[in-house]
Amino acid sequence: MFRKWLASLFFAALLVGVLSTPNVQAATTVYWEGAKLVKGQIGKIEVLKPINLWEKANGKLQFVRVLKPKEQYRVYSYDGKQYGLGGNLYVTNMSGYVLYKTPPKEKLKLVNPEWYSKKLSLGNVMSESSTVIVPGVEKSELEIASARGKQYVYKFEIATGANNIGIETALSNEQVLGIETVLQQANRADFDGHFVLGAVNGDYFKDNGSPTDLMVHNGEIITTNTTPVDERVIFGIDANGKPLIGNPDVTMEMTINGANSHRIHSINKRRDANHLVLYTPYFSTSTQTNSLGTEVVLTNIQGKLNGNGVVIGTVKEVIVGIGNEPLLPGEIILSGHGEASSYLQQAKVGDTVQISLQYDQAAWSGVQEAVGGRYHLVSNGAVQSFSIAGVHPRTAIGIDRNGNVFTVVVDGRNPDHSNGVTLDELAKLMKDFGAVEAMTLDGGGSSTFVVRQKDGTLAVENKPSDGFARPVANALLVVYKGQANEVKQLVITPQEITVWAGGTYRDLGLSVKGLTLLGTTVPLQQPVTWTSNAGTFLKDGSFVAAKRPVEGTITASSGNVSGSVKVHVVADADQLVVQPKEIYVRENSQQPLTIQAFYKGEEIVVNENAFSYTVSNGLGKVENGVFQAGSKKGTGTLTVRLGSKIATIPVTVGIPETVLLDDFEKNSLSWLTSGANYTFANVLLTNEVAKNGKQALQIDYDFSDKTGVSGVYVVAQTGITLKGHPMKIGMWVYGDAQGHWLRAQIKDGSGKRYWIDFAKNVDWTGWKYVTADIPADVQWPVTLEMPVRYMEVNEINKNAGTIYIDDIQAIYN
């Protein structure tokens, strides 16, 4: 059917086939080569030789039909291989088979002015949106049309001088060894007085989760460098909040009782041959070292491990030839191998150890936060070039000439969303954004962009290339350090409402909450008052809608803050939906009705008295939304009217005790075979055994040698919707005395599924009538999805057999 429709669409096209045209129309009508140039169009193709048309479904191209010479089609995208014709349809760029043409830039600019509003070295900005998270922190998203295809870029801009704004590092699970998603790290750091506004992934890391290079948190060195000086780059924040990008290193040495100095090679890194390593509880629960060394435990620690002074501790223990010493709060362990092990064996319990730390660059002395990266993209305002190939997702951080910081994430490896960039492209992009210094953080599947939402929660906003956020070693956080108790705005839910003209409403279903600057919810201290320009609020809180259609707002105010929602007052409806879809009741009984009215796809808030009802054949009446059947039996209709719109449903008053659902004769429904853990299962109609009529349903099964729960299921292909409110399902069953469990499955109006039981133990042979109760708490209407689920849970009772089913019924009394 789809192909016939598509073919007709192609043949109906004149000159240029319109496979997909964006809904947004250009303000100016522009023609190019005899055809209208539409918004989003980048060119057109003319077919020179027969060529395949493809449709992309689930990321794969599927053949649709062969295009013929002289056919022409608009082009909306090109990824270097495929011309995108819109509607997920593509033609491959094959030389000599298609001729591609591009309109003059002046014409493209008229229909797509946003493409030319901003040009970056990476390409034209197709769209850009910005949101101020708090004053001083802004989030932007850009879609860029690059030579490679679409690129999606996420950016945080942080004014380093803004009140209460800071940039901090976070460590996975608060330990060097191990990994954790950026979102998990951000959520753990988000608490009252320390609100995380956003986060990106941090340093590259080893297989064990250890960050590659320098990491500093809250003025304390967590890890030191492993990358050579000419290959590493570090981002830091100094004690005055000034951002830094450079390649610092830390010189460290220790003395015992003021003498015998020795170099410390690293902090919280693997202990290599003849190395002396300093371990803190940030590393792990223990040093993870082998027995080929000496470990000195220091306690009574004074000072902080930063590159601007000394740390002093007292020797608590000297452990030789054991290794893997526990790392406890308030303690430091010095661990040495080879020559360094021999040095540490000089220490004795009670000795004083002094550790000196000093950055090799004065600007980094006392740095408060730092995280490592890899490539220095922009240095002293100059874009750097790289011979490293590869198009990937990327994360970068930059500093502009005013000392403000911005982070950038470019998604990749997903051509439908974003292709990714090279290092050279990323460097130029960071320069375009104003960087005088810029560097990469980890990229690829690690690239993650977390943003604080309006409701105060944190969420990943980019599309990581793995399809999920990859766990990483550390992260960079943008934080608000202050209290957020003052209500800054009122948020009303829902954000839009449609009401019936002239109606009086005691409850519009609107709720209001107070939000702080950071999106956290706080109690309202002052009462809420409501006003509207599309109706009137009475003293008792009721709302009287305007008598004629109008577009307006409803505003809630509390103290000096307020919030508004759109309100549409309408006097007509596009659609009425009545539940149930059919009334099926006994005489003198009731059936509550639920009626929904819609206008332009939005549900209308309507008072019950706005509806009018007509019941045919004197079968009953409707009062207060409830159908009241009379004493007369028969069939007819109920018509509901709102404005000019009507809806009609069938009515049956007077129902039998049972209603046949399927007798398996010539008009039988379609039944499918399903099951679990069976050797064989089959469902078919048979005339060999029948309770009534000529046919029954035969169910063959073999559970032999199967473990777990085994079952053969009879599934209704379209399901059987039960009329009215039956109490039970009944049917005739020809048992095989194998002792298996006989059940059925129903689904109620809310989508909830229930198992109902006919027999826990089919211990009979021959025909027997069985019933299963429908739970009293189901929401109507109810659908019978699986009338038979014949199953066995006992491992020692797995066997084969056949049962038969006839006359499935709904039981009402």
Side-chain angles (χ1 to χ4, degrees):
M1 185 67 185
F2 170 78
R3 291 184 180 178
K4 291 182 180 178
W5 169 86
L6 186 64
S8 65
L9 184 62
F10 270 88
F11 290 118
L14 297 176
L15 182 63
V16 178
V18 185
L19 295 181
S20 174
T21 302
N23 292 328
V24 180
Q25 298 299 316
T28 304
T29 301
V30 179
Y31 287 88
W32 168 56
E33 293 194 352
K36 183 179 178 181
L37 194 63
V38 302
K39 197 168 186 66
Q41 181 182 352
I42 62 172
K44 71 174 183 179
I45 59 167
E46 179 180 353
V47 180
L48 304 178
K49 296 180 182 179
I51 190 171
N52 291 345
L53 174 69
W54 306 95
E55 181 188 22
K56 183 174 287 187
N58 299 321
K60 296 182 179 179
L61 293 176
Q62 300 177 354
F63 173 78
V64 177
R65 78 173 185 93
V66 176
L67 302 182
K68 298 178 181 180
K70 296 186 178 180
E71 292 184 66
Q72 299 186 43
Y73 299 98
R74 294 187 177 99
V75 174
Y76 297 95
S77 66
Y78 178 61
D79 63 5
K81 295 182 180 179
Q82 305 289 339
Y83 294 111
L85 310 186
N88 286 324
L89 297 174
Y90 295 85
V91 171
T92 304
N93 179 15
M94 295 176 61
S95 178
Y97 283 78
V98 293
L99 175 65
Y100 175 72
K101 294 183 178 180
T102 302
K105 180 178 178 181
E106 293 74 19
K107 289 183 178 289
L108 283 174
K109 191 172 183 179
L110 288 174
V111 293
N112 302 294
E114 69 277 9
W115 293 0
Y116 300 87
S117 61
K118 188 174 183 179
K119 185 175 178 63
L120 302 171
S121 57
L122 187 59
N124 293 321
V125 178
M126 306 287 287
S127 65
E128 181 175 4
S129 62
S130 298
T131 303
V132 174
I133 309 298
V134 300
V137 178
E138 185 171 347
K139 176 205 75 171
S140 300
E141 296 184 18
L142 299 87
E143 184 180 344
I144 299 171
S146 74
R148 190 177 300 107
K150 281 201 295 187
Q151 306 285 2
Y152 216 90
V153 179
Y154 305 81
K155 181 171 66 163
F156 267 126
E157 297 176 76
I158 306 111
T160 52
N163 290 334
N164 298 322
I165 301 300
I167 300 174
E168 297 180 1
T169 58
L171 183 64
S172 65
N173 300 299
E174 304 299 332
Q175 290 199 326
V176 169
L177 300 188
I179 52 179
E180 188 181 34
T181 67
V182 174
L183 181 59
Q184 289 171 317
Q185 296 180 48
N187 276 325
R188 191 172 52 254
D190 185 58
F191 50 85
D192 190 30
H194 189 273
F195 300 98
V196 177
L197 307 178
V200 296
N201 58 289
D203 198 357
Y204 301 76
F205 53 93
K206 308 292 186 182
D207 290 343
N208 63 4
S210 173
T212 301
D213 287 310
L214 179 69
M215 179 180 175
V216 179
H217 176 64
N218 195 27
E220 181 177 354
I221 297 175
I222 309 300
T223 59
T224 47
N225 293 316
T226 57
T227 305
V229 62
D230 57 346
E231 296 178 19
R232 68 171 176 261
V233 59
I234 310 294
F235 172 82
I237 298 289
D238 73 9
N240 298 315
K242 179 183 177 181
L244 306 166
I245 287 180
N247 60 353
D249 209 350
V250 185
T251 301
M252 301 170 289
E253 66 176 18
M254 63 171 287
T255 59
I256 302 172
N257 294 327
N260 301 324
S261 66
H262 194 285
R263 177 188 175 189
I264 298 174
H265 293 83
S266 62
I267 295 177
N268 289 330
K269 296 289 186 178
R270 186 184 70 177
R271 189 185 69 190
D272 292 328
N274 294 309
H275 273 207
L276 197 162
V277 181
L278 186 155
Y279 289 106
T280 73
Y282 271 119
F283 179 69
S284 184
T285 56
S286 64
T287 60
Q288 308 289 310
T289 54
N290 60 28
S291 60
L292 303 177
T294 299
E295 299 193 320
V296 173
V297 181
L298 302 183
T299 188
N300 300 325
I301 306 299
Q302 302 173 47
K304 183 175 283 189
L305 290 171
N306 205 335
N308 61 341
V310 298
V311 173
I312 298 174
T314 302
V315 176
K316 175 184 175 183
E317 289 183 87
V318 179
I319 303 102
V320 180
I322 296 178
N324 201 28
E325 187 67 18
L327 288 163
L328 303 177
E331 296 183 353
I332 287 175
I333 292 179
L334 296 163
S335 181
H337 172 271
E339 178 274 326
S341 173
S342 299
Y343 168 79
L344 289 176
Q345 290 175 26
Q346 302 176 57
K348 296 179 178 59
V349 174
D351 284 352
T352 297
V353 171
Q354 178 173 295
I355 301 165
S356 301
L357 305 97
Q358 189 64 52
Y359 285 106
D360 61 355
Q361 298 173 28
W364 290 79
S365 180
V367 68
Q368 294 298 295
E369 305 286 334
V371 67
R374 181 64 53 82
Y375 304 106
H376 204 154
L377 300 171
V378 181
S379 179
N380 291 321
V383 172
Q384 306 299 294
S385 61
F386 303 87
S387 59
I388 301 168
V391 175
H392 302 289
R394 305 282 186 181
T395 304
I397 188 166
I399 304 170
D400 68 18
R401 62 183 177 181
N402 297 316
N404 296 318
V405 175
F406 61 93
T407 63
V408 169
V409 170
V410 183
D411 276 346
R413 301 173 184 167
N414 183 356
D416 291 336
H417 167 62
S418 183
N419 284 273
V421 294
T422 65
L423 286 172
D424 283 340
E425 290 169 337
L426 183 63
K428 292 174 183 176
L429 182 64
M430 296 300 284
K431 174 68 173 179
D432 288 344
F433 285 153
V436 293
E437 298 288 339
M439 59 177 275
T440 66
L441 299 168
D442 192 9
S446 297
S447 288
T448 310
F449 190 80
V450 169
V451 181
R452 191 176 196 89
Q453 307 298 297
K454 289 183 177 179
D455 63 1
T457 62
L458 292 164
V460 177
E461 288 204 349
N462 74 312
K463 295 182 179 180
S465 61
D466 290 348
F468 55 87
R470 179 186 292 180
V472 295
N474 54 15
L476 267 179
L477 312 179
V478 183
V479 297
Y480 179 87
K481 302 176 183 179
Q483 296 301 313
N485 300 323
E486 184 180 354
V487 176
K488 292 292 186 180
Q489 62 175 322
L490 298 184
V491 174
I492 307 172
T493 306
Q495 290 289 296
E496 196 167 342
I497 188 171
T498 303
V499 300
W500 191 255
T504 300
Y505 305 94
R506 296 193 62 83
D507 184 5
L508 288 172
L510 299 174
S511 63
V512 60
K513 62 182 179 181
L515 294 184
T516 68
L517 182 70
L518 301 173
T520 55
T521 303
V522 293
L524 296 176
Q525 302 298 320
Q526 300 185 53
V528 176
T529 58
W530 297 87
T531 56
S532 177
N533 59 4
T536 303
F537 280 92
L538 305 180
K539 290 182 178 180
D540 64 359
S542 300
F543 176 70
V544 181
K547 294 182 179 181
R548 294 182 180 180
V550 66
E551 299 291 314
T553 57
I554 292 177
T555 300
S557 300
S558 176
N560 60 356
V561 293
S562 62
S564 297
V565 296
K566 293 181 181 179
V567 58
H568 313 283
V569 179
V570 299
D572 208 352
D574 298 332
Q575 182 185 17
L576 294 181
V577 177
V578 182
Q579 292 289 350
K581 295 180 180 179
E582 179 178 0
I583 295 176
Y584 200 72
V585 294
R586 294 187 181 85
E587 306 94 305
N588 301 310
S589 62
Q590 294 181 336
Q591 171 65 62
L593 302 173
T594 300
I595 305 171
Q596 294 173 288
F598 296 88
Y599 180 74
K600 293 184 178 180
E602 298 294 328
E603 186 172 359
I604 308 170
V605 181
V606 187
N607 280 340
E608 162 58 27
N609 57 17
F611 298 104
S612 61
Y613 305 92
T614 303
V615 181
S616 69
N617 299 333
L619 295 176
K621 59 183 178 180
V622 176
E623 290 182 348
N624 299 319
V626 177
F627 174 78
Q628 176 67 55
S631 58
K632 179 182 176 182
K633 292 184 179 181
T635 59
T637 59
L638 165 64
T639 299
V640 183
R641 181 184 298 273
L642 179 67
S644 63
K645 199 69 179 176
I646 63 171
T648 301
I649 63 172
V651 175
T652 299
V653 177
I655 59 176
E657 292 188 359
T658 62
V659 172
L660 188 65
L661 302 178
D662 201 325
D663 59 4
F664 305 107
E665 302 302 324
K666 61 181 179 180
N667 293 322
S668 178
L669 300 170
S670 296
W671 300 99
L672 305 176
T673 307
S674 182
N677 294 325
Y678 58 77
T679 301
F680 175 78
N682 192 34
V683 174
L684 70 157
L685 294 175
T686 180
N687 57 13
E688 295 181 1
V689 178
K691 173 61 180 174
N692 298 304
K694 297 181 179 180
Q695 292 191 132
L697 195 67
Q698 177 178 326
I699 304 169
D700 302 315
Y701 66 91
D702 185 354
F703 303 150
S704 302
D705 302 321
K706 293 296 180 180
T707 59
V709 177
S710 293
V712 56
Y713 311 150
V714 178
V715 181
Q717 189 167 18
T718 57
I720 307 170
T721 300
L722 306 179
K723 295 182 178 181
H725 297 174
M727 301 170 63
K728 301 173 183 285
I729 301 296
M731 63 185 179
W732 286 97
V733 178
Y734 192 103
D736 59 1
Q738 296 285 21
H740 301 316
W741 190 358
L742 183 61
R743 314 182 80 187
Q745 177 182 295
I746 61 174
K747 182 175 74 172
D748 76 0
S750 70
K752 183 178 180 181
R753 289 179 167 85
Y754 298 80
W755 294 113
I756 58 176
D757 293 328
F758 293 106
K760 291 287 185 71
N761 181 0
V762 177
D763 56 1
W764 68 88
T765 302
W767 288 107
K768 181 178 180 180
Y769 191 74
V770 294
T771 64
D773 294 332
I774 296 175
D777 61 347
V778 297
Q779 294 187 29
W780 298 94
V782 166
T783 301
L784 179 61
E785 291 185 316
M786 188 185 295
V788 177
R789 187 176 193 253
Y790 199 42
M791 55 185 288
E792 182 54 64
V793 299
N794 191 337
E795 297 284 354
I796 64 175
N797 195 33
K798 295 296 182 70
N799 49 38
T802 299
I803 62 171
Y804 302 87
I805 307 294
D806 207 354
D807 289 358
I808 302 177
Q809 300 173 324
I811 302 172
Y812 293 83
N813 188 2

